[in-house]
Amino acid sequence: MKRRLLDLSPIELERALAERGAPGYRARQVWSWVIDRRAERFESMTDLPRALREELNESFEIFSTEIVARSVDDDGTTKLLLACRDGETIETVLMAEEHRRTVCVSTQVGCGMGCVFCASGLKGVVRNLTRGEILEQIVRERNQLPEGERVSHLVVMGMGESLANLDELLAALEVVCAPAPLGLGLSQRRVTISTVGLPDKMRKLAELDRRYHLAVSLHAATESLRDRLVPISHKVGLGAVIEASDRYFERTGRQVTFEYVLLGGVNDRADDARALADLMSRRSAHVNLIPYNPVAGLEFERPSEDAVNRFTAILRGRSVSVTVRKTKGRVIDAACGQLRRGTAAVESTLL
Ligand code: SF4
């Protein structure tokens, strides 16, 4: 089977080509063709000797996924459904908003966290994606952009628990944040990693001397309610998640965002808002409220507008920094929780 090119680092590619007698600069040429110059076939790498292009073509594949569906919403949101070698599918989304070009990627097939309102976790986790499969989602979305446009932001909020696949994610981010032409040139500050809250992994990330933005999916401010909505919370505990968030802020200087999906009648009451305000008070943190988009087959409902306004007012009244996520590319409106929901729409436009 051909090797997935993007599973290698530029240094590893250099070694692989050295084994074939090619000088080191050839690896950099190949890499920059894919990462910077949008090549999707070795054949188009015209400054490489033909024999090397043929050899590369026999041993490697630039993309290991196939785009099986593509849809573009009225608001410019582009969704791709990618089929992996093993037949599993992953979704990726690109949102265009004024000067921003934001890609949302998945890190796993399925998810093992079991949040009760989420479609992605219904069947549990199937497998981790490789670094190449993560990177490929971004490169593929970037290649959809008109020539000259670049991806400006990355959110790791697609299917899966990002920190459960931390090593592969970090390897992909090294390329995303490396300068062009060997990287995509994104600032670490423009990368948001979403997590349900795995304290050990959050602390590891905090110690890495990176400046990624961390978004913690909280969804409840009391132990008992969170245990109900986010089952993994049983094992880790709300207090440990908050402590690890504080540590992340201390080490990186980056304010943590707490994502809170508002579920009608479940966690959107005045008492819930007050509990959240208590938790956030005296913390340098931001709360992002996400009115739920109902998922077929799940019992949860969208909160009323009054409930959203009341919840927001209580937080603001306690000086908590808060935003309500507006509808933009509805597919990712609920952080990692509802990406899978968009698949049906994507599949309806099968290529
Ligand atoms: S909300 Fe996120 S962490 Fe929870 S099950 Fe869904 S994909 Fe996993």
Side-chain angles (χ1 to χ4, degrees):
M1 187 185 287
K2 290 184 183 182
R3 288 179 83 180
R4 189 183 284 122
L5 188 84
L6 297 180
D7 273 349
L8 276 60
S9 68
I11 301 287
E12 287 165 336
L13 180 61
E14 200 171 316
R15 277 191 217 117
L17 293 197
E19 285 165 16
R20 292 167 168 78
Y25 70 89
R26 291 293 184 207
R28 290 191 290 281
Q29 271 179 301
V30 171
W31 195 258
S32 65
W33 265 110
V34 177
I35 298 296
D36 198 47
R37 300 171 73 180
R38 305 188 179 200
E40 300 197 353
R41 293 180 309 124
F42 292 110
E43 189 50 40
S44 53
M45 301 179 183
T46 46
D47 52 4
L48 260 58
R50 178 169 295 280
L52 180 60
R53 278 184 268 162
E54 283 168 5
E55 217 179 314
L56 284 166
N57 198 37
E58 276 165 26
S59 308
F60 296 96
E61 54 188 3
I62 294 176
F63 292 143
S64 66
T65 61
E66 195 186 327
I67 300 177
V68 289
R70 175 179 181 271
S71 73
V72 183
D73 287 0
D74 293 345
D75 61 9
T77 301
T78 305
K79 300 167 225 168
L80 298 180
L81 184 69
L82 303 174
C84 302
R85 278 178 187 164
D86 59 4
E88 297 292 349
T89 54
I90 47 178
E91 300 112 336
T92 179
V93 180
L94 182 140
M95 290 167 295
E97 199 176 19
E98 294 176 10
H99 298 301
R100 280 185 177 222
R101 298 291 177 270
T102 305
V103 172
C104 174
V105 292
S106 301
T107 49
Q108 296 182 309
V109 178
C111 182
M113 299 298 118
C115 304
V116 293
F117 53 83
C118 170
S120 293
L122 282 177
K123 292 183 184 160
V125 65
V126 177
R127 69 171 174 89
N128 284 338
L129 297 179
T130 70
R131 63 195 66 190
E133 287 172 319
I134 296 170
L135 185 56
E136 188 167 328
Q137 295 171 63
I138 307 157
V139 174
R140 279 218 181 265
E141 284 284 13
R142 188 278 312 274
N143 290 0
Q144 304 285 315
L145 288 170
E147 201 64 45
E149 281 191 19
R150 307 181 71 86
V151 174
S152 64
H153 294 74
L154 175 69
V155 292
V156 188
M157 290 186 172
M159 202 191 328
E161 163 50 46
S162 315
L163 299 191
N165 190 15
L166 183 58
D167 291 343
E168 294 299 299
L169 172 62
L170 290 174
L173 292 182
E174 287 302 306
V175 178
V176 170
C177 296
L182 298 183
L184 291 169
L186 251 79
S187 155
Q188 290 173 4
R189 305 184 76 83
R190 291 182 169 193
V191 173
T192 299
I193 299 176
S194 169
T195 176
V196 77
L198 304 182
D200 293 351
K201 299 289 177 69
M202 289 163 73
R203 278 193 289 272
K204 180 175 173 186
L205 191 60
E207 303 306 320
L208 290 179
D209 196 26
R210 299 286 188 276
R211 294 291 174 273
Y212 305 129
H213 175 213
L214 190 66
V216 176
S217 300
L218 202 61
H219 310 320
T222 61
E223 205 81 63
S224 56
L225 183 57
R226 193 162 196 265
D227 283 356
R228 230 177 85 207
L229 300 178
V230 184
I232 191 74
S233 208
H234 273 299
K235 287 190 188 154
V236 299
L238 179 58
V241 174
I242 297 294
E243 258 174 47
S245 304
D246 289 347
R247 179 74 182 155
Y248 193 82
F249 174 63
E250 276 165 34
R251 294 291 298 166
T252 64
R254 301 236 46 203
Q255 192 182 57
V256 172
T257 294
F258 290 97
E259 307 278 352
Y260 193 106
V261 172
L262 283 166
L263 305 161
V266 175
N267 65 354
D268 65 344
R269 300 157 302 181
D271 279 353
D272 300 312
R274 284 190 279 270
L276 184 58
D278 288 345
L279 203 57
M280 292 297 123
S281 66
R282 295 184 300 283
R283 281 208 153 78
S284 178
H286 178 78
V287 172
N288 192 23
L289 299 175
I290 306 157
Y292 184 68
N293 284 320
V295 174
L298 296 180
E299 68 200 64
F300 299 98
E301 290 171 5
R302 192 173 175 86
S304 68
E305 220 173 299
D306 281 354
V308 175
N309 291 339
R310 181 185 58 201
F311 204 97
T312 311
I314 290 171
L315 291 177
R316 291 209 172 115
R318 295 277 300 276
S319 304
V320 176
S321 166
V322 59
T323 44
V324 180
R325 190 175 294 178
K326 61 184 175 178
T327 300
K328 173 75 185 175
R330 293 177 68 86
V331 70
I332 65 159
D333 274 357
C336 53
Q338 289 184 272
L339 187 63
R340 181 54 77 88
R341 179 182 164 274
T343 310
V346 176
E347 281 170 350
S348 68
T349 62
L350 280 175
L351 291 175

